[in-house]
Amino acid sequence: MASAHSNPFSFREVEFVEFLATLLRKTGGHTVLSEVRLAPGKVVDLVVDSGHQVSIIETKRNSPQTRLRIDDAIGQLKGYLTAATDGPFAGRTLRLILAIPNSLSGEKIAHLEREGVEVWDGSRIAQMAISAGAKEEASRFLGEQAFGPATPPAFAERLLQLPRGKGSWSPYQKLCRDIAEFLFCPPLRSPIWESSNEAEVNKRDFILPNYATDGFWRFLREKYYADYVVVDAKNYQNGIEKKEVLQIANYLSRHGTGLFALIMTRADPRESGLYTIRDQWIQHGKLIVTLNDREVEQMLVDKSFGNDPSELIRQKIEDFRLGI
């Protein structure tokens, strides 16, 4: 059976919910309810009543990978918690669960758990499926790789150990190049290192030629002129500001590299950087996406489990465009 990850549209969220409901019923000893109305406007995907506690389960077909989407999921589950406490499950012990077919980085799982949300990711659900004798059915949603050990994301450890600041600029730049090649090549071509234009100005750290014939990268090339993915590495102690965004914006042109760039940096941009990114898109059609350490770690986790690491970039672009 083909892996679900070979075709990101091979199942709908309602099918994933039905699969989880069937899986939970197979484990026995539970009352499993679907589409439970806790209050007006509060309908949760699954409720599992095991007697001593009630589990409120929200499923996401696409794993939320940006902080915005994760915080939205937390807010949604906490809203269910309030509705359940004041409504049909008053006085019961309640448990909040986010169920996803893919995997999250340790940092994101820890953030969810600090907010009282347990994560059932692809690996956890795979083990449940094995126990229930449902591995073949689960493979459609989780992919075969969820049932084996993940490749250790060694790049993540190197990234976290690398000091921040100008003294480590060159090692960080080279590490970012290696990480980008590991994550995105193929379908992108191997990096062109430290390219510059004909006048020997506007030097770029590296460029990933984009000749993808399908999928996300083809979409970026056709819609955002990402003929060449320009990548800049900024090993700063703090977030980048306006100046750093303008530097990479100057590299971008419709008749040159294209209008899409990534900035790999250690932390989220400061307010002036965020404003300039927004301004470059609105005024000039230049789309610049920043990737901090936590986001790079998430993409490495995705890759290690056989998932598409560009999913995080897709979500960031959607969050950015929908937030304007």
Side-chain angles (χ1 to χ4, degrees), residues 170-187:
S170 182
Y172 178 70
Q173 185 188 50
K174 292 176 180 177
L175 179 59
C176 286
R177 177 200 60 185
D178 293 343
I179 288 174
E181 185 169 22
F182 172 72
L183 291 174
F184 307 131
C185 304

Side-chain angles (χ1 to χ4, degrees), residues 140-158:
R140 178 190 171 200
F141 302 97
L142 308 178
E144 292 291 343
Q145 198 155 342
F147 294 90
T151 303
F155 283 119
E157 184 176 354
R158 289 171 55 191

Side-chain angles (χ1 to χ4, degrees), residues 66-87:
T66 65
R67 179 56 69 95
L68 176 64
R69 294 187 183 211
I70 288 174
D71 286 345
D72 283 347
I74 291 170
Q76 185 178 20
L77 280 160
K78 286 186 174 180
Y80 292 152
L81 178 64
T82 300
T85 301
D86 296 338

Side-chain angles (χ1 to χ4, degrees), residues 98-258:
L98 175 65
I100 54 178
N102 303 130
S103 298
L104 293 178
S105 67
E107 183 272 336
K108 289 183 170 59
I109 291 174
H111 175 59
L112 284 155
E113 290 178 343
R114 284 193 298 268
E115 296 293 331
V117 177
E118 183 179 340
V119 179
W120 287 3
D121 64 1
S123 297
R124 171 73 179 272
I125 296 170
Q127 294 307 308
M128 293 166 59
I130 291 172
S131 299
K135 178 180 177 180
E136 183 176 357
E137 183 180 2
S139 296
R140 178 190 171 200
F141 302 97
L142 308 178
E144 292 291 343
Q145 198 155 342
F147 294 90
T151 303
F155 283 119
E157 184 176 354
R158 289 171 55 191
L159 180 64
L160 295 176
Q161 290 178 350
L162 189 66
R164 300 186 183 194
K166 293 183 179 179
S168 299
W169 172 80
S170 182
Y172 178 70
Q173 185 188 50
K174 292 176 180 177
L175 179 59
C176 286
R177 177 200 60 185
D178 293 343
I179 288 174
E181 185 169 22
F182 172 72
L183 291 174
F184 307 131
C185 304
L188 301 183
R189 297 289 180 89
S190 295
I192 299 172
W193 184 245
E194 292 192 318
S195 176
S196 59
N197 62 12
E198 188 175 352
E200 294 300 323
V201 297
N202 291 343
K203 199 172 187 181
R204 294 148 313 237
D205 281 355
F206 57 92
I207 292 172
L208 302 167
N210 179 12
Y211 300 104
T213 57
D214 57 18
F216 174 72
W217 293 107
R218 176 180 176 179
F219 172 80
L220 282 190
R221 189 178 72 246
E222 294 178 346
K223 301 299 182 181
Y224 296 104
Y225 303 106
D227 302 297
Y228 300 90
V229 178
V230 178
V231 186
D232 210 5
K234 298 294 185 185
N235 189 31
Y236 291 177
Q237 288 281 354
N238 302 305
I240 60 172
E241 300 191 52
K242 176 180 179 178
K243 180 179 70 174
E244 288 75 38
V245 177
L246 289 177
Q247 284 176 348
I248 199 165
N250 288 335
Y251 303 161
L252 305 178
S253 68
R254 176 67 185 89
H255 300 289
T257 57

Side-chain angles (χ1 to χ4, degrees), residues 11-31:
F11 66 89
R12 296 173 294 144
E13 186 163 302
V14 65
E15 295 175 298
F16 183 53
V17 174
E18 291 171 355
F19 159 72
L20 281 178
T22 301
L23 183 61
L24 289 164
R25 292 186 181 107
K26 285 183 177 181
T27 62
H30 306 303
T31 299

Side-chain angles (χ1 to χ4, degrees), residues 246-282:
L246 289 177
Q247 284 176 348
I248 199 165
N250 288 335
Y251 303 161
L252 305 178
S253 68
R254 176 67 185 89
H255 300 289
T257 57
L259 300 179
F260 178 78
L262 298 173
I263 301 178
M264 299 177 72
T265 186
R266 310 308 297 269
D268 289 330
R270 295 192 174 188
E271 185 175 354
S272 67
L274 293 172
Y275 178 84
T276 308
I277 288 171
R278 181 186 176 98
D279 183 66
Q280 286 296 313
W281 167 248
I282 294 173

